[in-house]
Amino acid sequence: MQQQMVSERKNVFGVLGGMGPLASAEFLKTIYEHCLGTREQDSPVVLMYSDPTFLDRTDNLLGNDGDLLLSQLKDGLEHLRACGAARIVICCITIHHLLHRVPAELRAVVWSLPDVIFAQLAQSRRRHLLICSKGTRALGIFEQHPQWSGSRHLFVLPDDRDQDSIHDLIYQIKRKCDVRQLTPFVEELLAKYEVDSFIAGCTEMHILAKQLLAAEGEPRSYQCIDPLVCVAQALAKKSA
């Protein structure tokens, strides 16, 4: 009965999380940080399905055909749809590599994070350092996007050594480190590549980006394209 009541509501938003759990939990917090107004009853209805048993995306997709991971992805999306989610964000960018293999009726409700990033890039004239997992880089998730050719000049790609260090940083965030200790490394990368903005190309970077851009003390001299913040802002406009 309770599930039926939820499914009958309009504009129910779904989050397929757990990849990792801290990033998707922080995303849920971000949604309400942006969407809470005078009345909490006017805030969006969000269904979170957090499943940390998802196989490691980088290891699985670089090591084999990803069939087991695809099965987990379809199951998670189907679960959220059955519970009434009209639109769903998959809180992992690397797993978007499998999205074309998801049934069309499920794929149609997914709010693609790479699409969000490219939409933001279309409004930008500055170059951005791409901070993402080794899996996302090796699979060419951004390079294979339909809008890559028109936006490639806005991407700054770290060298192999720095990419390995970024991947290690992402996994430190997964293990619940103090992200404040990681901010100097990102600032050093921005200086090295002579950019003042970066793309949060991994959802773990949402946690670090919020710390980096926290409105405390002097304003930061750099910016970030964070697709999870962009989604939260879009939801806030709809609920306004």
Side-chain angles (χ1 to χ4, degrees), residues 15-21 24 48-61 64 66-80 88-99 102 106 110 171 174 203-204:
V15 177
L16 181 54
M19 303 172 275
S24 49
M48 165 75 82
Y49 181 53
S50 180
D51 181 3
T53 68
F54 267 85
L55 299 170
D56 183 282
R57 278 65 64 200
T58 293
D59 290 347
N60 188 262
L61 292 173
N64 57 59
D67 284 350
L68 291 176
L69 189 56
L70 177 63
S71 178
Q72 288 184 295
L73 176 59
K74 290 192 293 187
D75 286 349
L77 293 173
E78 288 170 352
H79 180 80
L80 283 168
I88 300 169
V89 158
I90 305 168
C91 210
C92 170
I93 290 180
T94 308
I95 205 171
H96 280 70
H97 177 71
L98 295 174
L99 198 54
V102 170
L106 288 176
V110 172
Y171 277 74
K174 285 179 178 289
T203 51
E204 260 68 38

Side-chain angles (χ1 to χ4, degrees), residues 1-234:
M1 179 65 176
Q2 191 174 32
Q3 178 174 323
Q4 183 179 1
M5 289 176 63
V6 172
S7 63
E8 289 174 351
R9 297 175 183 172
K10 296 181 179 179
N11 301 321
V12 176
F13 181 65
V15 177
L16 181 54
M19 303 172 275
L22 292 176
S24 49
E26 189 65 34
F27 176 42
L28 182 61
K29 181 172 180 282
T30 299
I31 290 172
Y32 287 114
E33 285 174 341
H34 282 80
C35 295
L36 279 178
T38 305
R39 285 172 20 100
E40 64 182 44
Q41 289 79 11
D42 297 327
S43 305
V45 177
V46 182
L47 300 177
M48 165 75 82
Y49 181 53
S50 180
D51 181 3
T53 68
F54 267 85
L55 299 170
D56 183 282
R57 278 65 64 200
T58 293
D59 290 347
N60 188 262
L61 292 173
L62 295 183
N64 57 59
D65 57 14
D67 284 350
L68 291 176
L69 189 56
L70 177 63
S71 178
Q72 288 184 295
L73 176 59
K74 290 192 293 187
D75 286 349
L77 293 173
E78 288 170 352
H79 180 80
L80 283 168
R81 285 292 288 152
C83 290
R87 201 165 192 193
I88 300 169
V89 158
I90 305 168
C91 210
C92 170
I93 290 180
T94 308
I95 205 171
H96 280 70
H97 177 71
L98 295 174
L99 198 54
H100 71 286
R101 295 172 60 186
V102 170
E105 63 272 17
L106 288 176
R107 193 166 64 246
V109 302
V110 172
W111 196 341
S112 162
L113 294 183
D115 284 357
V116 172
I117 289 171
F118 276 96
Q120 290 297 306
L121 284 170
Q123 304 173 32
S124 173
R125 295 184 178 179
R126 54 162 39 101
R127 296 160 66 244
H128 311 264
L129 179 66
L130 177 61
I131 299 183
C132 67
S133 70
K134 286 195 294 187
T136 292
R137 279 291 302 277
L139 295 166
I141 288 174
F142 290 99
E143 291 89 336
Q144 294 179 24
H145 193 277
Q147 296 179 36
W148 169 255
S149 61
S151 302
R152 62 187 304 169
H153 63 289
L154 299 175
F155 282 85
V156 175
L157 305 179
D159 61 32
D160 290 344
R161 182 175 180 179
D162 286 334
Q163 180 60 62
D164 286 341
S165 297
I166 288 170
H167 192 79
D168 290 342
L169 174 144
I170 288 168
Y171 277 74
Q172 289 182 59
I173 298 173
K174 285 179 178 289
R175 292 189 290 268
K176 196 183 175 182
C177 70
D178 182 354
V179 295
R180 292 173 296 182
Q181 297 179 2
L182 304 179
T183 57
F185 172 68
V186 175
E187 292 171 340
E188 289 169 7
L189 281 177
L190 293 172
K192 176 179 177 179
Y193 290 95
E194 300 181 338
V195 293
D196 62 358
S197 183
F198 65 95
I199 297 169
C202 174
T203 51
E204 260 68 38
M205 285 303 299
H206 176 61
I207 299 173
L208 183 53
K210 288 181 72 173
Q211 173 65 39
L212 280 164
L213 304 175
E216 296 181 4
E218 293 297 321
R220 298 291 186 181
S221 59
Y222 44 80
Q223 298 182 19
C224 171
I225 293 179
D226 183 345
L228 297 183
V229 168
C230 295
V231 169
Q233 291 171 339

